Amino acid sequence: MIGSGPAGVYASEALLEWSDSHDESGRGVVVDLIDRLPVPYGLLRHGVAPDHPRIKGIARTLEGIAQDPRIRFLGNVEFGTDLTLADVRRLYHAVVFATGALTDRTMGIPGEDLAGSFGAAEFVTWYDGHPDVDPDFPLTARRAAVVGVGNVALDVARMLVRTPEQLEATDIPEHVREGFAGNTAQIVSVVGRRGPVYAKFTPLELREMAKIEGVTVVVDPDDLDYDDDNTDTPAQSAGSRAARELRESDRRVGQVCAQLEKWAGAQRDAGLATADEAEAAALAAGDKVVRFRFNRAPVEIVGGGEAGAGGRSDSETDGGAGEAGADARVTALRLEITEPTADGGVRGTGRTEDLPVDAVFRAVGYRSSSLEGVPFADRTATIPHDEGRVLDSPGGDPIPGLFTAGWVKRGPTGVIGTNRSCAVETVGHLTEDLAAGTLPDPADGDPQAVRELLLERGVEVVDGPAWLAIDEHEKGLGEAAGRERTKLPNRAAMIDVAGGLSRCQQ
Ligand code: NAP
């Protein structure tokens, strides 16, 4: 397995289960779980928000699987450099690429490279203590916009309004804890280019926003109006009707809308007629605000040279991104007001408004990265495959012995559990090929050969026992502070605790 996140671990599990019930040869199956990080579990460790212990708990399931003696963890091994495609083809009967997706998609609008414009993954990997990212993250924005209305946007918005005290029990590394102490965010706008019925939120995750102490959620009641009597043209009526029908027919959509309507109702009951009034009242009461803004498509991130780090701007947005100086930073997010079309899309109205913000986080989806020598479809940013069998090109021929699972196979959608069925499908074909004798025989199938090769190349492999040393160390750090775990801050600290090569040679 290349990648030890949920997809790689579930694929290992599926393979061992198959071996238990089918492999009569007595040779058994050995799985190497190879990861470029010194620690396993991929996005579960470096993607799931730290204030989501329920989801982080899945780590225990993955741990249980990974502790099977037939699975060997080989961490701190980079595919493409430490081990090439030619190497793994020479060493294994089959290779499953399960490398996930953790780079940010871009929106393709001006200003995305301004200071203060971030991809969600930049923030997520920082707060989740990814060992390779810059330990400093500038949490200096008073007003921030999060673009996208999926669960990652909710994670980012929720974390932006968290206090260090609320994160006290979590496993974040100490430098992240200190970073949150300087967080100045007061108003976080979550921006959807379509209406609420098309939001990708899951109801449980949305409802959580209501439970954060010191935070008021604000909704614009106009965004929740699906009444086609209030429209001007037949096209607008058709769009509103389609939205209303979806709200009524889809259970998840109904629950998401009901939660938004509940917040809007609370504002109304408090005598606050508009979202602006509700926002002002919350701020006056000393709360932070998470405000949902729908039917607004970002068209530009506007920058200005004047605002210092953390400085906020007012709504003057003269000097768009193109005109702003070299040290320009975000001062506003320019939004085009949209209206729904009957097919679930949106059309721009030509009317724009500038939302004054000091930072923009785009949570518009992740992208997988290509792997050296492995076919990759740029358009979808996935490995071309047929139910998990890697193809030489999209729609092309299978490459015997190469497989894929998880987000790099099907794109960045679905919850962690989705990776189990995805991995089962892939492994189903792998074992079919094994039974049919179509897996290529490796030139050097000795299970020790990979370790010898890595040692020869001077790779500081963090193997299973070395990972357990890191795991115990992190638990010890956590225990001292009354929490389950405190993550180590970087790769050097992890390798130091793991004992590097010397431990692995034992
Ligand atoms: P997502 O659910 O696909 O949401 C992406 C959002 O970005 C959509 O609202 C999309 O709007 C919007 N978007 C895309 N391009 C845009 C653009 N150019 N301008 C403006 N908006 C744009 O992706 P995600 O939030 O990254 O989540 C990925 C997967 O991880 C999902 O399956 C999610 O449920 C899962 N996840 C789960 C949890 C959890 O269970 N707690 C937490 C985090 C993530 P359109 O719909 O209009 O394209």
Side-chain angles (χ1 to χ4, degrees):
M1 302 296 154
I2 310 295
S4 68
V9 178
Y10 285 136
S12 307
E13 178 189 43
L15 203 47
L16 295 181
E17 279 178 5
W18 176 88
S19 173
D20 288 341
S21 53
H22 290 81
D23 186 9
E24 288 156 10
S25 67
R27 283 179 302 140
V29 169
V30 175
V31 180
D32 281 347
L33 203 48
I34 296 169
D35 205 294
R36 71 193 175 95
L37 294 184
V39 290
Y41 310 137
L43 264 185
L44 192 65
R45 184 176 159 112
H46 297 121
V48 171
D51 61 344
H52 268 170
R54 180 178 51 85
I55 302 176
K56 292 256 179 204
I58 298 174
R60 281 186 274 280
T61 310
L62 297 192
E63 263 166 35
I65 301 167
Q67 275 166 13
D68 188 306
R70 293 167 294 176
I71 299 179
R72 305 186 306 184
F73 177 62
L74 297 175
N76 204 35
V77 177
E78 176 101 36
F79 179 83
T81 51
D82 298 331
L83 269 186
T84 65
L85 181 63
D87 293 330
V88 293
R89 303 226 68 184
R90 200 176 64 249
L91 294 165
Y92 300 102
H93 289 89
V95 184
V96 179
F97 298 101
T99 45
L102 199 52
T103 55
D104 290 293
R105 284 186 54 214
T106 56
M107 295 185 282
I109 61 172
E112 277 184 274
D113 52 359
L114 284 168
S117 161
F118 305 101
E122 287 179 72
F123 183 43
V124 169
T125 51
W126 172 75
Y127 66 57
D128 259 337
H130 191 292
D132 294 343
V133 308
D134 190 335
D136 296 319
F137 192 94
L139 280 175
T140 51
R142 182 177 169 274
R143 291 168 173 261
V146 181
V147 179
V149 284
N151 283 335
V152 171
L154 289 180
D155 282 348
V156 169
R158 202 180 60 252
M159 288 299 288
L160 278 172
V161 292
R162 285 280 188 203
T163 61
E165 295 73 34
Q166 290 168 348
L167 296 172
E168 189 46 42
T170 68
D171 65 4
I172 54 176
E174 288 307 332
H175 69 273
V176 174
R177 214 173 289 285
E178 284 157 23
F180 272 100
N183 183 11
T184 50
Q186 285 287 310
I187 307 165
V188 178
S189 293
V190 181
V191 178
R193 61 180 168 184
R194 300 191 280 168
V197 299
Y198 301 109
K200 304 260 177 71
F201 307 142
T202 44
L204 189 66
E205 273 62 33
L206 183 62
R207 278 183 216 124
E208 253 180 278
M209 205 61 95
K211 298 178 192 153
I212 312 177
E213 213 186 310
V215 173
T216 296
V217 179
V218 171
V219 179
D220 188 338
D222 290 345
D223 285 341
L224 306 174
D225 179 6
Y226 322 109
D227 194 345
D228 49 328
D229 289 347
N230 298 337
T231 53
D232 298 329
T233 66
Q236 286 172 339
S237 299
S240 287
R241 210 164 34 248
R244 195 178 59 237
E245 280 166 15
L246 187 59
R247 183 197 176 323
E248 281 159 16
S249 63
D250 185 300
R251 189 158 176 265
R252 179 193 64 82
V253 171
Q255 289 174 339
V256 164
C257 290
Q259 179 60 54
L260 293 165
E261 287 153 15
K262 194 170 163 189
W263 280 313
Q267 287 166 208
R268 198 179 46 242
D269 294 348
L272 303 162
T274 65
D276 282 346
E277 281 178 35
E279 179 179 302
L283 292 174
D287 262 10
K288 295 177 188 173
V289 168
V290 171
R291 178 163 170 179
F292 290 97
R293 297 171 184 265
F294 291 97
N295 301 308
R296 276 152 179 80
V299 289
E300 180 175 341
I301 301 175
V302 181
E306 299 302 314
R312 60 174 289 247
S313 89
D314 292 310
S315 56
E316 308 87 18
T317 52
D318 52 330
E323 298 157 45
D327 36 345
R329 49 175 301 117
V330 171
T331 57
L333 178 62
R334 185 159 297 156
L335 298 165
E336 181 176 16
I337 296 162
T338 63
E339 53 189 32
T341 56
D343 62 0
V346 281
R347 77 170 78 76
T349 60
R351 284 180 286 131
T352 60
E353 62 184 26
D354 284 359
L355 177 66
V357 286
D358 316 303
V360 173
F361 294 79
R362 51 178 201 283
V364 297
Y366 291 145
R367 249 185 93 83
S368 294
S369 302
S370 61
L371 296 162
E372 187 67 37
V374 181
F376 192 71
D378 261 329
R379 195 182 57 78
T380 52
T382 51
I383 294 175
H385 71 97
D386 180 15
E387 296 183 347
R389 286 188 177 103
V390 174
L391 304 177
D392 57 9
S393 60
D397 294 322
I399 305 178
L402 298 191
F403 300 86
T404 181
W407 277 6
V408 74
K409 167 186 170 186
R410 57 175 211 282
T413 57
V415 293
I416 289 166
T418 317
N419 291 300
R420 181 174 243 148
S421 44
C422 176
V424 165
E425 176 187 72
T426 296
V427 169
H429 291 302
L430 189 161
T431 51
E432 244 171 61
D433 292 357
L434 178 63
T438 56
L439 291 182
D441 262 335
D444 189 355
D446 176 356
Q448 289 313 314
V450 64
R451 298 182 61 126
E452 281 159 20
L453 181 70
L454 291 166
L455 284 171
E456 210 175 276
R457 289 182 179 164
V459 181
E460 289 190 295
V461 180
V462 173
D463 64 4
W467 149 244
L468 284 181
I470 296 175
D471 190 40
E472 277 164 28
H473 186 85
E474 289 190 337
K475 285 177 179 159
L477 287 177
E479 204 179 329
R483 55 182 91 99
E484 199 173 319
R485 172 188 302 274
T486 301
K487 285 178 185 164
L488 282 167
N490 54 45
R491 200 179 271 261
M494 289 171 179
I495 293 182
D496 192 34
V497 169
L501 272 180
S502 54
R503 182 182 286 271
C504 297
Q505 280 171 318
Q506 288 164 13

